[in-house]
């Protein structure tokens, strides 16, 4: 692959060269994964949704939590109560 260069701005931003964006199928506004491998910065295209679902299921099966239903003692209820109240909810 051809080496491409970008400049880091004062805000820590870089522009990905058009050739690199095309090669990975990236578009404006899309999120990318960034991680460090040894002394390299690696930018990856995110997985599609079916790959993410499979990864989540695999992890949940490994932990033994796949197919379990949340219950009130596990913190779900507290998080649900943190949601903002809409005007029409308050008048009911």
């Amino acid at each position: 692959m051809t080496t491409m260069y970008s400049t880091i701005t004062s805000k820590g931003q870089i522009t990905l060269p058009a050739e690199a964006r095309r090669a990975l199928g990236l578009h404006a506004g899309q999120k990318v994964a960034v991680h460090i491998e040894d002394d390299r910065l690696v930018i990856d295209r995110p997985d599609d949704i079916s790959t993410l679902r499979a990864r989540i299921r695999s992890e949940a099966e490994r932990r033994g939590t796949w197919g379990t239903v949340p219950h009130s003692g596990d913190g779900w209820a507290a998080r649900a109560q943190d949601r903002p109240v809409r005007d029409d909810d308050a008048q009911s």
Side-chain angles (χ1 to χ4, degrees):
M1 174 174 240
T2 306
T3 299
M4 296 171 262
Y5 295 92
S6 290
T7 301
I8 301 173
T9 69
S10 61
K11 292 183 178 183
Q13 299 170 333
I14 64 169
T15 299
L16 296 176
E19 182 181 343
R21 293 191 312 266
R22 280 192 299 270
L24 292 176
L26 300 174
H27 55 80
Q30 184 174 359
K31 301 248 184 231
V32 293
V34 177
H35 63 274
I36 306 296
E37 283 184 10
D38 299 321
D39 62 346
R40 292 189 160 94
L41 175 69
V42 179
I43 301 173
D44 289 322
R45 174 185 56 221
D47 295 328
D48 61 46
I49 192 70
S50 60
T51 304
L52 291 174
R53 285 181 181 141
R55 187 180 307 157
I56 290 168
R57 181 178 182 144
S58 173
E59 178 67 16
E61 287 174 342
R62 186 183 68 76
R63 291 178 180 216
T65 58
W66 183 255
T68 61
V69 177
H71 54 84
S72 63
D74 66 3
W76 282 88
R79 287 194 294 273
Q81 292 172 357
D82 290 340
R83 72 175 179 80
V85 176
R86 300 183 327 222
D87 289 337
D88 56 11
D89 288 343
Q91 295 174 4
S92 301

